Amino acid sequence: MKITIVCGEQEFYSAGAERIAAAIRTNPEAKIGLSTGRTTKGVHAALVKLCEEREIDCSRITVFGIDEITNMPRSCPASCYDLLLNQVVRPLRISEDRFLMPDPEAEDPLKECQEFERRVMENGGPDFIFLGLGENGHLGFNQPGTPFGRTAWLSWMDDSLDERLRRENGIPADVKMGGLTLGIKNLMQCPHLVLAANGSNKADSAAGMIEGPVTEALPASVLQLHPDCEVILDADAAQNLSRGITG
């Protein structure tokens, strides 16, 4: 596991954008997985700017989100589909037939998990995945306690995220939301992963995933076992590391 620590917000976003852009330059037909959230929004904005400035052609890549919120229409601004569509796919002029996402309102969510996994993993699977670190150490919607051998599945949502999504988007309490997500096994099968974490609220999880034991209680700790994984941290997220690591 390679650890890179950067100083400053823009340096953090730029570092993430550089890694995604490098994957595109290496393979202009790459299949690239992205995550959504407060961490990755700035990375996606920096990526769009970088690709415009360097005239990087993204028309042949395939983009997929690693998870989606169930029982939420794609038109909802909080849906992973809508976020990636407007943050990445449209700004980079990627055809929507090269944008793979599960249907959050599928009648049979378990069948939809299997179909989404098939589409993502076919033809050799992803070439590169960019992840955000959850505050409790989750990867995608693989919450603490998720078996490392899990493939795509319908997970639960942690209480804090559930509450925030309902508050910010006016989602009624009787709408049961969950997380349709690629499993940890799927993520670990990708040949090249980058995970990013910023802010002091991620400091405990970042230290645990890097220096603690590999345990299903902290899903991100499994990345210690990945042969080609880089973790990008800002100074706040890196503050609890017990040893000095420089980027």
PDB file of all heavy atoms in Angstrom, residues 55-74:
ATOM      1  N   GLU A  55      -6.424  18.510 -22.769  1.00  0.00           N
ATOM      2  CA  GLU A  55      -7.103  17.950 -23.940  1.00  0.00           C
ATOM      3  C   GLU A  55      -7.055  16.416 -23.931  1.00  0.00           C
ATOM      4  O   GLU A  55      -6.693  15.769 -24.913  1.00  0.00           O
ATOM      5  CB  GLU A  55      -6.504  18.509 -25.227  1.00  0.00           C
ATOM      6  CG  GLU A  55      -6.643  20.024 -25.337  1.00  0.00           C
ATOM      7  CD  GLU A  55      -6.108  20.568 -26.645  1.00  0.00           C
ATOM      8  OE1 GLU A  55      -5.357  19.839 -27.338  1.00  0.00           O
ATOM      9  OE2 GLU A  55      -6.418  21.718 -26.979  1.00  0.00           O
ATOM     10  N   ILE A  56      -7.417  15.845 -22.802  1.00  0.00           N
ATOM     11  CA  ILE A  56      -7.461  14.391 -22.664  1.00  0.00           C
ATOM     12  C   ILE A  56      -8.798  13.879 -23.189  1.00  0.00           C
ATOM     13  O   ILE A  56      -9.856  14.321 -22.742  1.00  0.00           O
ATOM     14  CB  ILE A  56      -7.280  13.963 -21.195  1.00  0.00           C
ATOM     15  CG1 ILE A  56      -5.923  14.429 -20.672  1.00  0.00           C
ATOM     16  CG2 ILE A  56      -7.414  12.449 -21.039  1.00  0.00           C
ATOM     17  CD1 ILE A  56      -5.707  14.203 -19.183  1.00  0.00           C
ATOM     18  N   ASP A  57      -8.751  12.989 -24.149  1.00  0.00           N
ATOM     19  CA  ASP A  57      -9.955  12.443 -24.771  1.00  0.00           C
ATOM     20  C   ASP A  57     -10.535  11.346 -23.887  1.00  0.00           C
ATOM     21  O   ASP A  57      -9.894  10.321 -23.646  1.00  0.00           O
ATOM     22  CB  ASP A  57      -9.615  11.878 -26.151  1.00  0.00           C
ATOM     23  CG  ASP A  57     -10.830  11.273 -26.845  1.00  0.00           C
ATOM     24  OD1 ASP A  57     -11.964  11.521 -26.395  1.00  0.00           O
ATOM     25  OD2 ASP A  57     -10.631  10.552 -27.844  1.00  0.00           O
ATOM     26  N   CYS A  58     -11.755  11.562 -23.396  1.00  0.00           N
ATOM     27  CA  CYS A  58     -12.411  10.588 -22.529  1.00  0.00           C
ATOM     28  C   CYS A  58     -13.551   9.856 -23.232  1.00  0.00           C
ATOM     29  O   CYS A  58     -14.303   9.116 -22.582  1.00  0.00           O
ATOM     30  CB  CYS A  58     -12.959  11.291 -21.293  1.00  0.00           C
ATOM     31  SG  CYS A  58     -11.701  12.115 -20.288  1.00  0.00           S
ATOM     32  N   SER A  59     -13.673  10.027 -24.523  1.00  0.00           N
ATOM     33  CA  SER A  59     -14.846   9.535 -25.240  1.00  0.00           C
ATOM     34  C   SER A  59     -14.925   8.010 -25.308  1.00  0.00           C
ATOM     35  O   SER A  59     -16.008   7.452 -25.521  1.00  0.00           O
ATOM     36  CB  SER A  59     -14.876  10.109 -26.662  1.00  0.00           C
ATOM     37  OG  SER A  59     -13.759   9.663 -27.421  1.00  0.00           O
ATOM     38  N   ARG A  60     -13.787   7.329 -25.125  1.00  0.00           N
ATOM     39  CA  ARG A  60     -13.806   5.862 -25.268  1.00  0.00           C
ATOM     40  C   ARG A  60     -13.764   5.118 -23.938  1.00  0.00           C
ATOM     41  O   ARG A  60     -13.811   3.892 -23.910  1.00  0.00           O
ATOM     42  CB  ARG A  60     -12.634   5.418 -26.145  1.00  0.00           C
ATOM     43  CG  ARG A  60     -12.776   5.814 -27.604  1.00  0.00           C
ATOM     44  CD  ARG A  60     -11.603   5.310 -28.415  1.00  0.00           C
ATOM     45  NE  ARG A  60     -10.372   6.037 -28.100  1.00  0.00           N
ATOM     46  CZ  ARG A  60      -9.143   5.590 -28.353  1.00  0.00           C
ATOM     47  NH1 ARG A  60      -8.960   4.383 -28.880  1.00  0.00           N
ATOM     48  NH2 ARG A  60      -8.093   6.331 -28.056  1.00  0.00           N
ATOM     49  N   ILE A  61     -13.663   5.843 -22.824  1.00  0.00           N
ATOM     50  CA  ILE A  61     -13.662   5.140 -21.546  1.00  0.00           C
ATOM     51  C   ILE A  61     -15.092   4.759 -21.151  1.00  0.00           C
ATOM     52  O   ILE A  61     -16.065   5.317 -21.651  1.00  0.00           O
ATOM     53  CB  ILE A  61     -13.025   5.983 -20.417  1.00  0.00           C
ATOM     54  CG1 ILE A  61     -13.890   7.212 -20.085  1.00  0.00           C
ATOM     55  CG2 ILE A  61     -11.603   6.378 -20.780  1.00  0.00           C
ATOM     56  CD1 ILE A  61     -13.428   7.948 -18.836  1.00  0.00           C
ATOM     57  N   THR A  62     -15.188   3.789 -20.268  1.00  0.00           N
ATOM     58  CA  THR A  62     -16.463   3.412 -19.670  1.00  0.00           C
ATOM     59  C   THR A  62     -16.397   3.754 -18.188  1.00  0.00           C
ATOM     60  O   THR A  62     -15.411   3.443 -17.517  1.00  0.00           O
ATOM     61  CB  THR A  62     -16.736   1.907 -19.843  1.00  0.00           C
ATOM     62  OG1 THR A  62     -16.857   1.615 -21.241  1.00  0.00           O
ATOM     63  CG2 THR A  62     -18.030   1.499 -19.143  1.00  0.00           C
ATOM     64  N   VAL A  63     -17.426   4.418 -17.689  1.00  0.00           N
ATOM     65  CA  VAL A  63     -17.479   4.842 -16.287  1.00  0.00           C
ATOM     66  C   VAL A  63     -18.610   4.106 -15.591  1.00  0.00           C
ATOM     67  O   VAL A  63     -19.690   3.917 -16.156  1.00  0.00           O
ATOM     68  CB  VAL A  63     -17.702   6.366 -16.189  1.00  0.00           C
ATOM     69  CG1 VAL A  63     -18.018   6.780 -14.757  1.00  0.00           C
ATOM     70  CG2 VAL A  63     -16.477   7.118 -16.686  1.00  0.00           C
ATOM     71  N   PHE A  64     -18.358   3.683 -14.364  1.00  0.00           N
ATOM     72  CA  PHE A  64     -19.432   3.111 -13.558  1.00  0.00           C
ATOM     73  C   PHE A  64     -19.303   3.607 -12.125  1.00  0.00           C
ATOM     74  O   PHE A  64     -18.214   3.927 -11.652  1.00  0.00           O
ATOM     75  CB  PHE A  64     -19.425   1.577 -13.587  1.00  0.00           C
ATOM     76  CG  PHE A  64     -18.211   0.941 -12.964  1.00  0.00           C
ATOM     77  CD1 PHE A  64     -18.207   0.585 -11.620  1.00  0.00           C
ATOM     78  CD2 PHE A  64     -17.076   0.683 -13.722  1.00  0.00           C
ATOM     79  CE1 PHE A  64     -17.096  -0.004 -11.041  1.00  0.00           C
ATOM     80  CE2 PHE A  64     -15.956   0.097 -13.150  1.00  0.00           C
ATOM     81  CZ  PHE A  64     -15.972  -0.250 -11.804  1.00  0.00           C
ATOM     82  N   GLY A  65     -20.424   3.713 -11.450  1.00  0.00           N
ATOM     83  CA  GLY A  65     -20.420   4.020 -10.028  1.00  0.00           C
ATOM     84  C   GLY A  65     -20.381   2.719  -9.256  1.00  0.00           C
ATOM     85  O   GLY A  65     -20.987   1.727  -9.667  1.00  0.00           O
ATOM     86  N   ILE A  66     -19.669   2.701  -8.148  1.00  0.00           N
ATOM     87  CA  ILE A  66     -19.525   1.432  -7.425  1.00  0.00           C
ATOM     88  C   ILE A  66     -20.746   1.093  -6.595  1.00  0.00           C
ATOM     89  O   ILE A  66     -20.866  -0.034  -6.105  1.00  0.00           O
ATOM     90  CB  ILE A  66     -18.266   1.414  -6.541  1.00  0.00           C
ATOM     91  CG1 ILE A  66     -18.356   2.450  -5.425  1.00  0.00           C
ATOM     92  CG2 ILE A  66     -17.022   1.625  -7.391  1.00  0.00           C
ATOM     93  CD1 ILE A  66     -17.223   2.324  -4.423  1.00  0.00           C
ATOM     94  N   ASP A  67     -21.672   2.052  -6.454  1.00  0.00           N
ATOM     95  CA  ASP A  67     -22.859   1.770  -5.650  1.00  0.00           C
ATOM     96  C   ASP A  67     -23.988   2.710  -6.030  1.00  0.00           C
ATOM     97  O   ASP A  67     -23.807   3.646  -6.803  1.00  0.00           O
ATOM     98  CB  ASP A  67     -22.558   1.865  -4.157  1.00  0.00           C
ATOM     99  CG  ASP A  67     -21.869   3.176  -3.770  1.00  0.00           C
ATOM    100  OD1 ASP A  67     -22.069   4.181  -4.469  1.00  0.00           O
ATOM    101  OD2 ASP A  67     -21.138   3.192  -2.766  1.00  0.00           O
ATOM    102  N   GLU A  68     -25.172   2.433  -5.495  1.00  0.00           N
ATOM    103  CA  GLU A  68     -26.331   3.285  -5.705  1.00  0.00           C
ATOM    104  C   GLU A  68     -27.289   3.125  -4.528  1.00  0.00           C
ATOM    105  O   GLU A  68     -27.321   2.087  -3.874  1.00  0.00           O
ATOM    106  CB  GLU A  68     -27.037   2.921  -7.012  1.00  0.00           C
ATOM    107  CG  GLU A  68     -28.247   3.769  -7.365  1.00  0.00           C
ATOM    108  CD  GLU A  68     -27.942   5.266  -7.469  1.00  0.00           C
ATOM    109  OE1 GLU A  68     -27.832   5.899  -6.400  1.00  0.00           O
ATOM    110  OE2 GLU A  68     -27.842   5.776  -8.606  1.00  0.00           O
ATOM    111  N   ILE A  69     -28.053   4.176  -4.271  1.00  0.00           N
ATOM    112  CA  ILE A  69     -29.031   4.170  -3.190  1.00  0.00           C
ATOM    113  C   ILE A  69     -30.354   3.632  -3.728  1.00  0.00           C
ATOM    114  O   ILE A  69     -30.857   4.133  -4.743  1.00  0.00           O
ATOM    115  CB  ILE A  69     -29.222   5.579  -2.622  1.00  0.00           C
ATOM    116  CG1 ILE A  69     -27.886   6.126  -2.112  1.00  0.00           C
ATOM    117  CG2 ILE A  69     -30.268   5.580  -1.502  1.00  0.00           C
ATOM    118  CD1 ILE A  69     -27.890   7.610  -1.856  1.00  0.00           C
ATOM    119  N   THR A  70     -30.906   2.631  -3.095  1.00  0.00           N
ATOM    120  CA  THR A  70     -32.149   2.047  -3.577  1.00  0.00           C
ATOM    121  C   THR A  70     -33.355   2.883  -3.151  1.00  0.00           C
ATOM    122  O   THR A  70     -33.297   3.657  -2.196  1.00  0.00           O
ATOM    123  CB  THR A  70     -32.322   0.617  -3.052  1.00  0.00           C
ATOM    124  OG1 THR A  70     -32.330   0.643  -1.608  1.00  0.00           O
ATOM    125  CG2 THR A  70     -31.189  -0.282  -3.517  1.00  0.00           C
ATOM    126  N   ASN A  71     -34.436   2.682  -3.885  1.00  0.00           N
ATOM    127  CA  ASN A  71     -35.699   3.394  -3.645  1.00  0.00           C
ATOM    128  C   ASN A  71     -35.538   4.903  -3.729  1.00  0.00           C
ATOM    129  O   ASN A  71     -36.225   5.656  -3.041  1.00  0.00           O
ATOM    130  CB  ASN A  71     -36.307   3.000  -2.293  1.00  0.00           C
ATOM    131  CG  ASN A  71     -36.781   1.556  -2.283  1.00  0.00           C
ATOM    132  OD1 ASN A  71     -37.300   1.069  -3.287  1.00  0.00           O
ATOM    133  ND2 ASN A  71     -36.580   0.869  -1.175  1.00  0.00           N
ATOM    134  N   MET A  72     -34.628   5.328  -4.576  1.00  0.00           N
ATOM    135  CA  MET A  72     -34.424   6.754  -4.843  1.00  0.00           C
ATOM    136  C   MET A  72     -34.372   6.927  -6.359  1.00  0.00           C
ATOM    137  O   MET A  72     -33.552   6.285  -7.023  1.00  0.00           O
ATOM    138  CB  MET A  72     -33.118   7.238  -4.214  1.00  0.00           C
ATOM    139  CG  MET A  72     -32.782   8.689  -4.545  1.00  0.00           C
ATOM    140  SD  MET A  72     -31.204   9.208  -3.815  1.00  0.00           S
ATOM    141  CE  MET A  72     -31.654   9.344  -2.092  1.00  0.00           C
ATOM    142  N   PRO A  73     -35.246   7.733  -6.949  1.00  0.00           N
ATOM    143  CA  PRO A  73     -35.226   7.879  -8.410  1.00  0.00           C
ATOM    144  C   PRO A  73     -33.922   8.491  -8.896  1.00  0.00           C
ATOM    145  O   PRO A  73     -33.273   9.265  -8.190  1.00  0.00           O
ATOM    146  CB  PRO A  73     -36.411   8.814  -8.687  1.00  0.00           C
ATOM    147  CG  PRO A  73     -36.649   9.533  -7.408  1.00  0.00           C
ATOM    148  CD  PRO A  73     -36.290   8.559  -6.317  1.00  0.00           C
ATOM    149  N   ARG A  74     -33.527   8.113 -10.100  1.00  0.00           N
ATOM    150  CA  ARG A  74     -32.290   8.653 -10.668  1.00  0.00           C
ATOM    151  C   ARG A  74     -32.312  10.164 -10.791  1.00  0.00           C
ATOM    152  O   ARG A  74     -31.261  10.812 -10.796  1.00  0.00           O
ATOM    153  CB  ARG A  74     -32.039   8.019 -12.041  1.00  0.00           C
ATOM    154  CG  ARG A  74     -31.498   6.596 -11.955  1.00  0.00           C
ATOM    155  CD  ARG A  74     -31.255   6.015 -13.320  1.00  0.00           C
ATOM    156  NE  ARG A  74     -30.435   4.807 -13.227  1.00  0.00           N
ATOM    157  CZ  ARG A  74     -30.131   4.026 -14.253  1.00  0.00           C
ATOM    158  NH1 ARG A  74     -30.594   4.328 -15.462  1.00  0.00           N
ATOM    159  NH2 ARG A  74     -29.379   2.957 -14.078  1.00  0.00           N
TER     160      ARG A  74
END
